[in-house]
Amino acid sequence: MRVAFLGLGIMGRAMAANLVKAGHEVAVWNRTPGKEVEGARVAASPAEAAQGVEVVWLCVSDTAAVENVLFGADGVEQSLTKGMLIADSSTISPSATRKFAERVARKGVQYVDSPMTGSKAGAESGTLLFMIGGDEQAVEKLKPLYAAMGKKIFRMGETGKGQSAKLVMNLQIALIYEGFAEALTLAAKLGVDAEQLGALINSSMVKSGVIEYKLPFVLCRDFSANFPLRLMRKDIRLALEAAKEARVKLPGLETVEEIYDVAIEEGHADLDYAATLLLLEKWAGVEVKGQAA
């Protein structure tokens, strides 16, 4: 298929590369020049990238970035033609997603929200999980592209439901990791070995994919960004905004948001979200580490 891939960040660059490897004809664009994908054509603007393609795929930072790429100067909108598809793997507002979909529908273009989970490693290995909101026939057309970048898709319903599912997934990730980080901090203060605690957790009902994935990084003090803390805070805020719109109270997430706000003030914005542990350690006067650290 002919694809315009817009956004070559931590996730997007690997996703675009997998589309090329699968034999698709790919044009790429990134807000900051200089990023390339081997085998893909580099475009000077979103509008140029989208000319003559069947699918426009987005993977950018936030709701404002999606709106600008679609409808701003040199945006995708000016290159849209009837029958094209837009798939958005950014994590953004569900209500904004529905508005964007309504706008492009006037040109006969279908919009499929397609946020994913699987982190940097999943993007590189082509094993992402996609949460999809959109028309079933449109999703069917996109399946060869999902197959090139991921291992499974979950259609959650109509447009906007994929983004809604992503927000509640990241809500859980943020809360689970924060509980784990607090447990590690208290354990360190009480003299409990972190590696032994990790083995215990992974052998008990407390076990989770979040803990299993993050534990090795924490034990070796590697807080380089697989998912930057600033982006997790963005997703926390999106979830709280969606909750406010739906008149739902999320007291646990409100508290975790405060932790992220302070962590960013402490200079941890571009580290992995696991770096909220650094703030807890500072407050407690301890450091969590394994033998390898």
Side-chain angles (χ1 to χ4, degrees), residues 39-57:
R41 176 176 64 85
V42 178
S45 68
E48 182 189 322
Q51 288 175 4
V53 303
E54 299 165 84
V55 177
V56 175
W57 206 291

Side-chain angles (χ1 to χ4, degrees), residues 72-287:
D74 294 321
V76 167
E77 186 177 37
Q78 60 191 269
S79 297
L80 295 178
T81 57
K82 186 176 181 179
M84 288 174 65
L85 295 169
I86 295 175
D88 181 22
S89 283
S90 318
T91 301
I92 69 168
S93 161
S95 56
T97 292
R98 291 189 291 271
K99 291 176 183 176
F100 298 160
E102 289 169 5
R103 181 164 171 176
V104 300
R106 296 171 199 151
K107 290 201 169 189
V109 175
Q110 290 180 297
Y111 192 108
V112 181
D113 46 311
S114 305
M116 69 290 183
T117 188
S119 199
K120 179 181 177 182
E124 292 173 346
S125 62
T127 56
L128 295 170
L129 298 178
F130 287 93
M131 293 148 272
I132 300 166
D135 178 80
E136 285 190 56
Q137 291 183 332
V139 173
E140 193 65 33
K141 292 177 185 176
L142 292 171
K143 280 186 175 179
L145 304 183
Y146 291 125
M149 297 182 286
K151 63 181 180 180
K152 200 164 187 179
I153 66 173
F154 294 85
R155 181 178 176 270
M156 307 307 294
E158 68 272 15
T159 303
K161 293 294 176 63
Q163 294 292 357
S164 297
K166 178 61 186 292
L167 294 187
V168 301
M169 289 291 286
N170 278 8
L171 178 159
Q172 293 173 84
I173 291 171
L175 291 177
I176 291 168
Y177 179 76
E178 209 55 37
F180 176 52
E182 291 184 11
L184 285 174
T185 303
L186 180 58
K189 196 73 172 181
L190 297 177
V192 177
D193 179 80
E195 291 192 26
Q196 284 187 301
L197 179 63
L200 172 61
I201 289 170
N202 286 329
S203 299
S204 74
M205 67 179 293
V206 181
K207 178 179 179 178
S208 88
V210 175
I211 295 173
E212 193 170 24
Y213 183 75
K214 288 299 181 185
L215 180 62
F217 292 100
V218 169
L219 291 179
C220 67
R221 310 296 293 176
D222 180 3
F223 296 104
S224 56
N226 283 301
F227 183 19
L229 192 150
R230 59 184 169 78
L231 292 184
M232 179 63 95
R233 183 182 67 166
K234 180 262 297 183
D235 292 353
I236 288 170
R237 288 182 170 177
L238 285 172
L240 290 171
E241 288 167 8
K244 186 175 181 180
E245 291 173 6
R247 299 181 65 82
V248 172
K249 189 71 173 172
L250 301 175
L253 194 63
E254 289 173 359
T255 301
V256 170
E257 182 194 23
E258 295 175 6
I259 301 292
Y260 276 76
D261 288 344
V262 178
I264 287 175
E265 290 173 7
E266 291 283 317
H268 303 322
D270 293 319
L271 297 179
D272 193 83
Y273 72 89
T276 57
L277 175 66
L278 299 175
L279 187 62
L280 299 174
E281 289 176 329
K282 179 181 178 181
W283 289 339
V286 297
E287 183 176 289

